[in-house]
Amino acid sequence: GIKIVTIGGGSSYTPELIEGFIKRYDELPVREIWLVDINKGKDKLNIVGNLAKRMVEKAGLPIDIHLTLNRREALKDADFVTTQFRVGLLDARAKDERIPLKYDVIGQETNGPGGLFKGLRTIPVILEICKDMEELCPDAWLVNFTNPAGMVTEAVLRYSPIKKVVGLCNVPIGMKMGIAKALDVDASRVQVDFAGLNHMVFGLDVYLDGKSVKEEVITALGNPQNEMTMNNIAGFAWDRDFIKGIGLIPCGYHRYYFKTDEMLAEEKESSATKGTRAEVVQQLEKDLFELYKDPELNIKPPQLEKRGGAYYSEAACSLIDSIYNDKRDIQPVNTRNNGAIASIPDESAIEINCVITKEGPRPIAIGDLPVAVRGLVQQIKSFERVAAEAAVTGDYQTALVAMTINPLVPSDTIAKKILDEMLEAHKDDLPQF
Ligand code: NAD
Ligand code: G6P
Ligand code: MN
């Protein structure tokens, strides 16, 4: 049987993962799931872990759920390691979102200064996990959700010996579902050619039953009635002429780059009234854990779909299923470029449709991205690389360069102010600085 280890097991998303493994048990015989957390997350781990136990019991399956604070004990002989941890928890995210706003810069957990700092906190931890894996389960696959997932995958590829790493995100699934809804068809009939970077992915073309419907989808994207977005991103309609002009389907996160002023105004307004997204999620999480505590509950509650990461386990479980069973189906994942996008270095992480085999994802080459977006994608990739280097070295100047070259930060002067304030605010979670 298969041994799964989930790091950050106390996450409110864990029931999704458990549901995904239960649904696929016949073809994916998971025998052990080890949920790993840290002392700070002990209470969450217990509550969600007990729900996980009730879920497998209700399903009548011989899956053993283990709860532990000892990562090394859990990792021994694992087959798949999934990571969904949040260094500094939601309080740290609230700082990532709030501090940049003071300087009229987007405050977001995976873009701009917030994305940089989430990376600085997360990368040293993922590299420690990789070291443990090398020793304790060298043949295992690392399936990472921890954000910023693109930068984290890049860091693993560059700074660790682990080569069996895949980064995952629910944005591509979310785009596909949004398109299906706008066209009023079942999502299983829709296919999208995805390529780009994590949270910077484009649909190059879209098909309904194999026939291109890109024009229809572009028209739908300009309709304010179709909020094609994630729960955590304001869903402003796109300018139809702009989208027709680039000839691509953008993802929700592209609004931070192409609608920066509207998004900034919206963030300022909502952070002052209902709180930043982290603060909204803190309340959502409280409500979810109250539900999870109910000893009668033995399924994933539908309220979990209010989180931006809704359905992310669909991506995780399908990926693991296809690797284990050598399915050779197509899934959009974060993997080593290997020439699939010509203007991105071979060794960098990209998010792209891949054929999923037992040797891992094989990216489907696209040639190159259209010139209109190529530069932005390269700039974000440069930002991710410099940020990953700063996370590994703890070098101040490298961090300042990362902050300054991010397209959402207007100058070196403002970059330095934000950097200094955020380094101070996060110092407990940044031992390398
Ligand atoms: P969360 O705040 O609930 O954190 C999950 C758990 O991680 C907590 O229980 C916490 O105690 C634990 N943790 C913190 N540091 C740890 C460490 N060093 N080792 C082990 N556990 C540790 O977070 P969440 O909202 O459930 O999100 C989890 C992560 O997944 C975040 O990084 C988030 O950005 C990411 N995420 C990614 C996607 C995606 O599309 N890739 C979707 C949703 C969430
Ligand atoms: C999805 C993204 C994730 C992100 C999450 C935030 O859009 O793909 O990477 O972390 O939503 O959701 P939340 O509910 O935490 O705001
Ligand atoms: Mn994501």
Side-chain angles (χ1 to χ4, degrees):
I2 301 165
K3 175 174 180 180
I4 308 275
V5 176
T6 298
I7 298 178
S11 162
S12 59
Y13 288 114
T14 293
E16 277 227 13
L17 214 53
I18 304 297
E19 184 191 70
F21 289 129
I22 289 174
K23 273 203 305 211
R24 289 172 179 77
Y25 185 80
D26 284 344
E27 53 185 272
L28 190 66
V30 170
R31 292 304 313 277
E32 289 171 61
I33 303 176
W34 289 68
L35 301 176
V36 182
D37 214 290
I38 52 173
N39 201 39
K40 236 173 149 180
K42 192 171 58 200
D43 295 340
K44 288 174 63 183
L45 178 68
N46 275 323
I47 295 168
V48 81
N50 285 325
L51 170 58
K53 288 179 184 173
R54 296 194 298 273
M55 287 172 72
V56 294
E57 195 182 326
K58 157 129 199 284
L61 294 173
I63 304 176
D64 292 329
I65 308 273
H66 300 262
L67 313 183
T68 180
L69 304 183
N70 185 338
R71 180 171 84 208
R72 289 178 56 84
E73 173 199 23
L75 284 176
K76 185 98 187 68
D77 300 326
D79 297 298
F80 293 92
V81 179
T82 75
T83 46
Q84 51 177 32
F85 58 91
R86 185 188 294 284
V87 178
L89 297 157
L90 286 164
D91 287 341
R93 173 174 173 187
K95 293 178 195 168
D96 286 344
E97 293 169 340
R98 214 170 257 290
I99 294 170
L101 288 181
K102 290 207 256 176
Y103 302 91
D104 279 335
V105 171
I106 294 285
Q108 213 281 319
E109 77 162 329
T110 62
N111 290 268
L116 169 60
F117 270 80
K118 191 159 170 33
L120 296 178
R121 297 193 298 276
T122 302
I123 288 169
V125 177
I126 198 88
L127 294 178
E128 284 297 313
I129 292 170
C130 289
K131 267 196 206 147
D132 286 348
M133 286 179 63
E134 201 194 351
E135 183 189 332
L136 299 163
C137 52
D139 295 327
W141 281 93
L142 172 58
V143 179
N144 175 64
F145 300 104
T146 306
N147 274 318
M151 194 195 293
V152 169
T153 308
E154 182 82 20
V156 171
L157 289 173
R158 283 184 190 272
Y159 299 104
S160 98
I162 300 288
K163 294 295 162 243
K164 292 165 96 173
V165 55
V166 184
L168 285 183
C169 178
N170 65 333
V171 161
I173 296 185
M175 286 170 74
K176 184 171 145 164
M177 307 250 264
I179 289 168
K181 194 168 162 216
L183 300 176
D184 195 21
V185 299
D186 195 85
S188 63
R189 296 172 58 195
V190 174
Q191 264 175 335
V192 185
D193 290 341
F194 289 107
L197 306 179
N198 181 237
H199 293 188
M200 171 78 25
V201 74
F202 292 95
L204 305 185
D205 208 338
V206 193
Y207 311 89
L208 176 63
D209 302 329
K211 183 175 145 281
S212 176
V213 287
K214 188 156 97 175
E215 291 306 312
E216 289 88 324
V217 173
I218 288 175
T219 303
L221 277 165
N223 180 349
Q225 240 95 71
N226 300 319
E227 282 219 342
M228 281 201 222
T229 191
M230 315 294 293
N231 286 337
N232 58 310
I233 310 171
F236 297 115
W238 287 95
D239 184 292
R240 228 170 251 166
D241 289 319
F242 172 64
I243 301 299
K244 278 213 160 101
I246 60 171
L248 296 167
I249 313 299
C251 78
Y253 286 91
H254 283 117
R255 292 189 180 85
Y256 292 111
Y257 299 88
F258 297 129
K259 290 183 174 296
T260 314
D261 54 352
E262 287 110 310
M263 294 300 276
L264 181 61
E266 195 282 332
E267 281 193 342
K268 283 181 156 180
E269 156 77 22
S270 60
S271 67
T273 51
K274 30 178 202 178
T276 68
R277 178 68 188 167
E279 290 154 0
V280 171
V281 167
Q282 277 172 330
Q283 187 55 49
L284 266 176
E285 192 177 83
K286 247 188 222 146
D287 300 345
L288 278 173
F289 275 86
E290 276 313 307
L291 286 172
Y292 291 179
K293 277 183 197 163
D294 178 357
E296 301 296 310
L297 182 75
N298 51 19
I299 52 160
K300 176 190 91 175
Q303 287 89 334
L304 185 50
E305 286 166 22
K306 287 194 191 145
R307 293 292 306 272
Y311 307 114
Y312 93 96
S313 77
E314 198 52 39
C317 297
S318 312
L319 175 77
I320 292 174
D321 190 358
S322 291
I323 292 177
Y324 181 78
N325 289 306
D326 196 25
K327 276 197 172 172
R328 294 168 188 259
D329 58 341
I330 294 173
Q331 299 183 24
V333 302
N334 288 264
T335 190
R336 193 179 190 275
N337 180 22
N338 288 340
I341 302 179
S343 56
I344 299 291
D346 284 0
E347 65 278 17
S348 275
I350 58 169
E351 187 165 290
I352 193 161
N353 275 5
C354 293
V355 178
I356 311 296
T357 77
K358 65 180 186 314
E359 271 89 44
R362 283 199 214 138
I364 300 173
I366 61 153
D368 215 337
L369 291 164
V371 67
V373 299
R374 195 179 297 166
L376 174 62
V377 171
Q378 287 182 322
Q379 187 64 13
I380 292 294
K381 182 45 70 185
S382 294
F383 161 72
E384 289 179 352
R385 283 178 64 177
V386 178
E389 187 189 333
V392 170
T393 58
D395 182 65
Y396 177 83
Q397 288 168 0
T398 309
L400 179 60
V401 172
M403 182 74 90
T404 307
I405 67 174
N406 186 284
L408 299 177
V409 177
S411 72
D412 55 352
T413 321
I414 291 177
K416 194 169 217 171
K417 286 185 184 155
I418 300 177
L419 180 67
D420 290 345
E421 184 168 343
M422 291 181 80
L423 280 173
E424 179 59 29
H426 288 298
K427 62 173 188 280
D428 293 347
D429 293 315
L430 296 172
Q432 76 272 44
F433 279 91

